[in-house]
Amino acid sequence: MKNIRNFCIIAHIDHGKSTLADRLLEMTNTISQRDMQAQVLDDMDLEREKGITIKSHAIQINHTHKGEKFVLNLIDTPGHVDFSYEVSRALAACEGALLLVDATQGIQAQTISNLYLAIGNDLEIIPVINKIDMDGAMVDEVKDQIIELIGCKPEDILLASARTGVGVPEILEAIVERIPAPEGNPDAPLQALIFDSVFNSFRGIIVYYRILNGSIKKGDIVQFVSTGQSYGADEVGILKLTLDPKPEVRTGDVGYIITGIKNAKEVKVGDTITLASNPHPEMVQGFEEVKPMVFAGIFPVNTDDFEELRDCMDKLQLNDASLTYELETSQALGFGFRCGFLGMLHMEIIQERLEREFNQTVITTVPNVSFVAYTSKGEEIIVNNPAEMPDPTRIDRIEEPYIRAQIITKPEYIGNIMTLCLGKRGILINQSYLTTTRVELVFEMPLTEIVFDFYDKLKSQTRGYASFDYHPIDRRDSDIAKMDILLNGDKVDALSALIHRSRANDFGRKLCEKLKELLPRQQFQIAIQAAIGAKVIARETISALRKDVTAKCYGGDISRKRKLLEKQKEGKKRMRQIGNVEVPQEAFLAVLKLDD
Amino acid sequence: MAGIYLHIPFCRQACHYCNFHFSTSLNRKNDFISALLKEMEVRRDYLGGETVETVYFGGGTPSLLETEELQVLLHSLRAFFTIAPGAEITLEANPDDIDIDITAASRLRAWREAGINRLSIGVQSFFEEDLRWMNRAHDARQAIACIRMAQEEGFDNMSIDLIYGGPTLPDSHWRENVERAIGMGIPHLSCYALTVEPKTALDTMIRRHQKADIRPEDQARQFLLLMDWAATAGYEHYEISNFSLPGHRSRHNSAYWQGKNYLGLGPSAHSYNGVSREWNVANNARYIEAPGLVVEKEVLTPVQQLNEYIMISMRTMEGIDLGVLAERFGAGQASVLRERAEKYVRAGKLKLAGERLQLTKEGKLLADGIAADLFF
């Protein structure tokens, strides 16, 4: 056990985490040059493309230091705010962390929040400044930022270029020498922390864990504490580039277990594995049920494809337990699913995975957060869907979720960020200069305000020089209203939105304008209205199509004309009928395009 | 009973709105005539010996052919096909080719003698600013003069083209154009809403804001006005863009709308034999190299045939004959169609006259969308 080191890398997107991981694997000969594919750990296509890690991974590195053999377990963590709970569990499985900071960029908001999580978990922090060979590297300034943040000595900070390999041997040395070996009692009953799981279509769910006490053997009957379920350990082992089966995985080590579980829902990140016959009396601390934060409807483009979509959602959930969904029926879109996501990125990922891995084109409806409505009779109703909002006359009050948002930026953008966040009903809680050129702003804000166009606006208002992180804090009373969109008087349920009353007029007007652009002219006039209850707050009119007839239809025109009209007919088939109005699919995505 | 169309792919000058196949270089006119004669021979059996009731020289600008060339073409047609004694033989002519020089009268006479018995003249407008805007080769004076000359030479069976709905044509001018045509006793009018076809000069100029865009509401209004004026003057509105005094319909074009067989000769020309449609290459050089080389052929499925029947017959005064439709495509289809048409009947866009579904005046403005919606 004294020769095991468990560590992770804390870094902002693009600061070089995956490249550093690749170099560590290469220099220790964990993988041959031949198997080397840039960013080995990111094995989902989507991850490689977005340059981020969506799911955590782990890999064992064998390293000889001063003649002694060491096992280094690198636990890779997801790099996005939506997945902060998964990050916290990965951190809990480590004794140390590399704090990797891009010399040209400096520390970013998310790095800080993950760093605090790591410090909170008593991890040994090894600061590394990466990309020191790049033009624009500000090594001294970044050093100051790091010292300011973690109070280390300047000589504790390592300098490296993961790209070229400079400084990587020193990093390996620091991992061995500075990070403490795991502690734990090999003779105690099994206590292992689940920090991730993946779905394998041949083997079912593969669970990744870190053993805190005891050991796990092939053939053991294990129990997952939070669910109370027991399973046989069909296979246990350690994580190399591929699974490496072992008869036993011991205290302090990181490993996997295969039990034949088919559904990711049964495996909860943060849960404790113990032995059914000899359970450990304590669960590993910090377990939480992951709750979805953002909800939206997902519908098949063709109503006929619902069963196929259901199939795909089932499969997708097998390897992404954080995705929740239930059946939803829309008058406009037919059968579909109300889905819960960890955040907007998660929603985007699910949509893209449906398209790429399952070949499903879907319509996603207006996203919303989870509100709680209290009726005058004292009932508490959770509202994840505009349709669930009780009639205003029955409502006593509504609560909406708030977040603590942390933004790090250059001082010249403070004004823009203040304007943006106050406009989003934010409350400034703190402002502090990390260095003379970096300032941290902390706001409390309604989560619903960041669901729509916050990221894009933040980016454009700061020319990309702002990093953002958030955590849910509480729920607060709020004046939330359900806004409906009507086409010639008929409600389009798929376009209803739950929105703060102060934003409704502006939002309604923009949405009506966008719909006017997206709806084709028809043979009659179309009134587009936004309304709260019976009160219309915005209106646009599409005048009737005045003329739609070809001038010439002679011998040489007939084929072309027929094909044109056949195509038109096909297009119409894909439209949805709302009352007498035909609505193309793009229109249902209007809300997501409001600020285009 | 069948028709033959001959496409003459040359023009002296390109009209800005035109998207038909033509070349403004006359260098290869001789080669083209030879190729056309060759194609007649190659495809002499296409109509299966059916009597040819109509011949139509279209283009392009067939009137720029020398009279001798026209004579040769007509002569060969008679050699390869059975042309009915009373066949309608139409020549599309531009005013500048009729009112050409002192030979004008003798040219017209020669056309008549060669067998041309109907002229379709591309007048478009009697207003100078319109003609210039369209980049026509003739002027307003020629527009009037050519009609008089043709009438004097005995071409009573005559049609003129008029274009409306452009930005240079106020309603008052449109009225004058139509009144003049009617006043001159022209028995057939083809009136086209100016259409901006993709990749034409007009399209480019509008996109570059060098010309004002067309306004659908102006076109709709001028179309409605036209329908009133033509009806008052006793013209039948027998197809969306075609008006005639009784007995003066274009027999050739009516044959297209009745689904009759036709053979198209020349580059880009389409042929149809009731089951399949095929068309020639739309390129003069390639056509001359291999006359009669069909570039594409489609065999129409029963549904496509049905859709074409709906699309075309709906544009005619007689409308969709549900009885005929039931006979050709089945009673089930006919009743489905009748049901689908119901909402348009209620909206006043279609009317049911006996077994015939006909467009109302309002419906004529929206014929395409309605047809697409009624498609199977």
Side-chain angles (χ1 to χ4, degrees):
Chain A
M1 200 179 5
K2 72 177 180 36
N3 286 8
I4 295 176
R5 299 291 181 272
N6 297 316
F7 73 104
C8 60
I9 305 173
I10 295 170
H12 191 70
I13 295 165
D14 286 339
H15 280 202
K17 180 172 70 169
S18 298
T19 314
L20 177 61
D22 290 351
R23 260 331 76 67
L24 292 174
L25 301 181
E26 230 174 58
M27 285 199 183
T28 54
N29 295 317
T30 305
I31 26 171
S32 63
Q33 205 77 35
R34 190 166 46 84
D35 292 337
M36 197 66 206
Q37 191 182 4
Q39 305 187 359
V40 172
L41 291 183
D42 295 343
D43 58 10
M44 255 193 265
D45 278 355
L46 207 57
E47 294 188 334
R48 244 184 232 123
E49 244 167 69
K50 294 203 174 208
I52 55 164
T53 309
I54 296 164
K55 297 284 291 177
S56 328
H57 302 269
I59 191 162
Q60 194 174 88
I61 300 168
N62 293 310
H63 179 54
T64 308
H65 178 70
K66 293 180 179 163
E68 210 176 330
K69 285 187 174 167
F70 285 86
V71 168
L72 315 181
N73 289 309
L74 166 57
I75 294 172
D76 199 16
T77 53
H80 191 275
V81 280
D82 288 357
F83 304 98
S84 55
Y85 173 72
E86 289 196 19
V87 174
S88 82
R89 295 304 82 204
L91 292 175
C94 299
E95 278 78 33
L98 300 179
L99 170 64
L100 189 69
V101 185
D102 184 330
T104 67
Q105 303 272 319
I107 289 186
Q108 305 290 317
Q110 208 192 314
T111 317
I112 296 184
S113 63
N114 287 348
L115 178 67
Y116 287 154
L117 274 174
I119 293 172
N121 277 291
D122 282 331
L123 264 57
E124 175 67 29
I125 309 294
I126 301 173
V128 179
I129 300 179
N130 190 24
K131 305 193 189 179
I132 54 164
D133 56 334
M134 296 260 290
D135 289 345
M138 315 169 291
V139 175
D140 290 336
E141 196 189 323
V142 176
K143 263 191 185 173
D144 289 347
Q145 291 174 10
I146 293 172
I147 292 167
E148 180 105 1
L149 258 175
I150 61 175
C152 64
K153 296 193 203 81
E155 59 271 21
D156 291 343
I157 301 173
L158 302 178
L159 303 180
S161 166
R163 195 172 55 83
T164 62
V166 169
V168 179
E170 289 76 11
I171 295 173
L172 279 165
E173 190 180 306
I175 291 168
V176 172
E177 293 192 342
R178 290 205 228 163
I179 296 175
E183 291 169 2
N185 182 358
D187 303 321
L190 173 66
Q191 188 197 35
L193 165 69
I194 297 177
F195 64 84
D196 198 10
S197 68
V198 294
F199 174 78
N200 179 300
S201 44
F202 300 105
R203 318 206 58 185
I205 305 289
I206 302 167
V207 178
Y208 297 168
Y209 54 82
R210 149 75 196 273
I211 301 188
L212 299 171
N213 291 295
S215 65
I216 189 165
K217 292 186 202 62
K218 183 177 177 179
D220 280 348
I221 304 295
V222 296
Q223 189 179 42
F224 290 7
V225 177
S226 82
T227 60
Q229 295 286 329
S230 293
Y231 309 93
D234 297 343
E235 183 180 316
V236 299
I238 56 167
L239 299 148
K240 295 289 200 171
L241 195 57
T242 52
L243 303 179
D244 186 359
K246 299 280 176 194
E248 184 180 20
V249 181
R250 299 197 183 90
T251 310
D253 217 345
V254 170
Y256 72 88
I257 177 172
I258 296 172
T259 60
I261 298 174
K262 291 277 180 273
N263 190 339
K265 269 194 203 162
E266 294 177 41
V267 181
K268 297 188 189 300
V269 168
D271 198 358
T272 304
I273 308 175
T274 189
L275 285 180
S277 55
N278 181 17
H280 194 279
E282 281 168 36
M283 203 176 167
V284 183
Q285 282 189 355
F287 172 72
E288 282 172 28
E289 288 273 357
V290 182
K291 284 197 202 78
M293 305 281 281
V294 173
F295 298 82
I298 287 188
F299 292 85
V301 163
N302 292 316
T303 40
D304 298 346
D305 295 340
F306 170 72
E307 285 303 330
E308 203 184 323
L309 178 63
R310 182 208 292 272
D311 224 45
C312 297
M313 294 294 289
D314 288 346
K315 282 190 190 136
L316 197 53
Q317 203 189 37
L318 288 182
N319 63 28
D320 185 351
S322 49
L323 168 69
T324 62
Y325 60 87
E326 55 190 37
L327 192 72
E328 179 176 16
T329 327
S330 154
Q331 282 168 341
L333 300 175
F335 286 113
F337 298 99
R338 193 70 189 170
C339 302
F341 309 98
L342 299 179
M344 290 302 281
L345 181 84
H346 189 214
M347 172 167 139
E348 212 178 291
I349 288 167
I350 294 293
Q351 229 174 309
E352 282 194 38
R353 289 188 65 188
L354 278 172
E355 272 180 33
R356 292 188 192 196
E357 293 167 38
F358 298 93
N359 207 15
Q360 296 288 304
T361 318
V362 293
I363 297 173
T364 310
T365 63
V366 192
N368 60 261
V369 302
S370 183
F371 298 95
V372 181
Y374 295 90
T375 65
S376 30
K377 285 183 185 159
E379 298 158 287
E380 182 181 322
I381 298 166
I382 293 172
V383 181
N384 293 338
N385 185 339
E388 293 166 347
M389 186 59 88
D391 190 83
T393 54
R394 288 176 51 209
I395 298 175
D396 176 39
R397 63 193 180 86
I398 298 172
E399 283 181 355
E400 68 171 326
Y402 265 66
I403 55 159
R404 185 172 190 275
Q406 184 185 26
I407 298 165
I408 294 179
T409 187
K410 290 186 174 176
E412 63 241 56
Y413 299 121
I414 293 182
N416 287 356
I417 291 177
M418 289 287 288
T419 311
L420 172 64
C421 292
L422 297 182
K424 298 253 176 206
R425 296 188 284 138
I427 304 156
L428 182 68
I429 298 300
N430 193 21
Q431 173 181 325
S432 60
Y433 279 79
L434 304 174
T435 66
T436 50
T437 58
R438 303 190 78 69
V439 60
E440 181 197 52
L441 300 167
V442 179
F443 291 89
E444 288 180 359
M445 278 169 66
L447 175 62
T448 188
E449 296 290 344
I450 68 158
V451 163
F452 288 124
D453 51 1
F454 185 76
Y455 291 94
D456 290 343
K457 280 214 170 124
L458 182 65
K459 225 187 223 171
S460 64
Q461 295 291 311
T462 60
R463 297 165 184 253
Y465 283 110
S467 61
F468 170 75
D469 190 28
Y470 71 86
H471 295 281
I473 42 176
D474 52 18
R475 288 200 310 254
R476 297 179 190 176
D477 277 358
S478 187
D479 192 6
I480 296 293
K482 180 179 168 219
M483 191 189 81
D484 297 311
I485 293 289
L486 296 92
L487 295 179
N488 280 353
D490 285 308
K491 229 181 252 179
V492 188
D493 57 359
L495 286 173
S496 292
L498 296 168
I499 187 163
H500 192 261
R501 211 174 291 272
S502 70
R503 333 273 293 150
N505 282 5
D506 184 49
F507 181 71
R509 183 179 48 76
K510 279 192 188 156
L511 190 50
C512 289
E513 282 169 6
K514 193 77 197 174
L515 285 169
K516 183 175 179 173
E517 270 172 48
L518 294 172
L519 291 176
R521 277 184 183 221
Q522 293 175 30
Q523 294 189 354
F524 39 81
Q525 177 177 298
I526 304 170
I528 307 168
Q529 292 168 305
I532 293 178
K535 189 179 168 228
V536 173
I537 57 171
R539 180 189 165 115
E540 291 286 336
T541 307
I542 299 177
S543 55
L545 185 63
R546 262 323 267 154
K547 188 179 157 290
D548 175 25
V549 54
T550 311
K552 296 190 177 186
C553 192
Y554 300 116
D557 306 311
I558 296 171
S559 274
R560 190 168 60 104
K561 189 75 213 158
R562 187 200 75 237
K563 283 174 193 159
L564 209 72
L565 296 187
E566 279 171 349
K567 213 169 138 198
Q568 204 174 310
K569 171 96 182 180
E570 272 311 299
K572 272 189 168 193
K573 269 190 202 159
R574 284 197 304 275
M575 293 196 195
R576 302 301 169 89
Q577 189 89 24
I578 309 289
N580 59 355
V581 183
E582 275 157 348
V583 184
Q585 288 141 26
E586 304 89 78
F588 294 105
L589 304 172
V591 189
L592 303 172
K593 294 181 184 160
L594 280 188
D595 282 84
D596 279 7
Chain B
M1 193 191 131
I4 292 180
Y5 173 83
L6 296 98
H7 190 77
I8 311 301
F10 300 103
C11 286
R12 292 187 207 286
Q13 180 174 324
C15 305
H16 285 161
Y17 55 84
C18 181
N19 72 334
F20 285 112
H21 169 68
F22 65 90
S23 162
T24 49
S25 155
L26 305 187
N27 290 343
R28 305 206 66 187
K29 192 158 66 105
N30 281 339
D31 294 339
F32 163 74
I33 297 287
S34 306
L36 197 54
L37 294 172
K38 171 89 179 167
E39 192 191 0
M40 286 182 201
E41 188 191 337
V42 172
R43 305 185 72 187
R44 62 192 298 172
D45 295 327
Y46 184 85
L47 295 173
E50 267 186 272
T51 303
V52 175
E53 296 279 350
T54 63
V55 173
Y56 196 102
F57 290 90
T61 314
S63 56
L64 56 68
L65 293 179
E66 302 301 328
T67 0
E68 296 74 20
E69 290 168 330
L70 266 177
Q71 284 165 351
V72 168
L73 291 174
L74 279 162
H75 181 85
S76 295
L77 275 179
R78 293 202 163 90
F80 292 119
F81 302 92
T82 317
I83 312 287
E88 174 193 274
I89 302 180
T90 307
L91 178 76
E92 278 185 355
N94 272 354
D96 44 306
D97 285 323
I98 298 173
D99 179 29
I100 188 164
D101 49 30
I102 50 162
T103 65
S106 62
R107 262 167 76 84
L108 282 163
R109 211 165 306 139
W111 287 349
R112 277 198 69 79
E113 282 161 9
I116 306 290
N117 53 28
R118 186 172 179 272
L119 289 181
S120 171
I121 307 178
V123 168
Q124 319 309 352
S125 176
F126 296 105
F127 286 94
E128 211 64 60
E129 60 263 44
D130 263 345
L131 296 168
R132 277 201 303 270
W133 191 88
M134 293 185 242
N135 200 39
R136 294 292 306 191
H138 66 275
D139 58 25
R141 188 199 55 80
Q142 285 175 304
I144 298 168
C146 71
I147 297 170
R148 295 231 165 94
M149 289 177 177
Q151 286 173 330
E152 277 164 23
E153 287 308 320
F155 280 103
D156 303 322
N157 198 1
M158 181 202 291
S159 173
I160 67 168
D161 291 350
L162 292 174
I163 292 181
Y164 65 90
T168 48
L169 186 75
D171 290 356
S172 57
H173 285 194
W174 177 227
R175 180 179 190 120
E176 278 187 56
N177 275 344
V178 176
E179 276 178 355
R180 186 182 292 273
I182 293 169
M184 290 180 86
I186 298 162
H188 186 283
L189 306 174
S190 292
C191 300
Y192 301 116
L194 179 72
T195 307
V196 185
E197 298 286 355
K199 292 179 193 153
T200 54
L202 180 59
D203 181 35
T204 309
M205 288 187 261
I206 288 174
R207 274 192 284 114
R208 289 185 186 154
H209 302 288
Q210 290 159 346
K211 282 194 170 182
D213 202 354
I214 53 166
R215 298 172 7 133
E217 52 274 32
D218 289 347
Q219 299 208 322
R221 191 184 58 250
Q222 294 191 345
F223 188 30
L224 290 169
L225 288 170
L226 167 68
M227 288 191 252
D228 288 343
W229 300 329
T232 309
Y235 285 74
E236 287 178 339
H237 189 182
Y238 76 102
E239 196 263 354
I240 290 287
S241 299
N242 288 282
F243 301 80
S244 79
L245 292 175
H248 284 87
R249 293 187 185 190
S250 162
R251 283 162 55 195
H252 183 80
N253 291 335
S254 297
Y256 292 137
W257 304 324
Q258 287 158 13
K260 301 220 166 109
N261 298 348
Y262 54 90
L263 170 63
L265 301 170
S268 82
H270 286 53
S271 304
Y272 175 67
N273 63 7
V275 182
S276 68
R277 187 176 287 109
E278 54 194 56
W279 46 96
N280 292 346
V281 63
N283 176 298
N284 289 1
R286 285 177 58 200
Y287 173 77
I288 289 165
E289 240 166 66
L293 177 76
V294 165
V295 285
E296 220 178 318
K297 176 174 173 165
E298 60 174 8
V299 177
L300 297 170
T301 64
V303 168
Q304 287 170 331
Q305 290 180 34
L306 171 56
N307 287 344
E308 283 192 1
Y309 178 76
I310 292 170
M311 175 180 87
I312 299 169
S313 60
M314 201 173 75
R315 289 172 63 93
T316 65
M317 189 169 91
E318 285 69 31
I320 301 169
D321 188 324
L322 290 168
V324 169
L325 191 141
E327 217 169 278
R328 279 188 63 190
F329 304 101
Q333 307 286 57
S335 69
V336 169
L337 188 72
R338 185 195 294 258
E339 212 170 284
R340 273 191 206 160
E342 187 50 41
K343 69 173 172 186
Y344 293 107
V345 174
R346 265 184 282 123
K349 307 272 195 303
L350 284 175
K351 58 176 189 286
L352 196 60
E355 281 289 277
R356 292 170 182 276
L357 270 174
Q358 296 165 344
L359 287 168
T360 62
K361 227 162 106 179
E362 274 294 317
K364 283 173 183 167
L365 295 167
L366 301 167
D368 287 4
I370 297 172
D373 197 29
L374 296 181
F375 267 18
F376 284 82

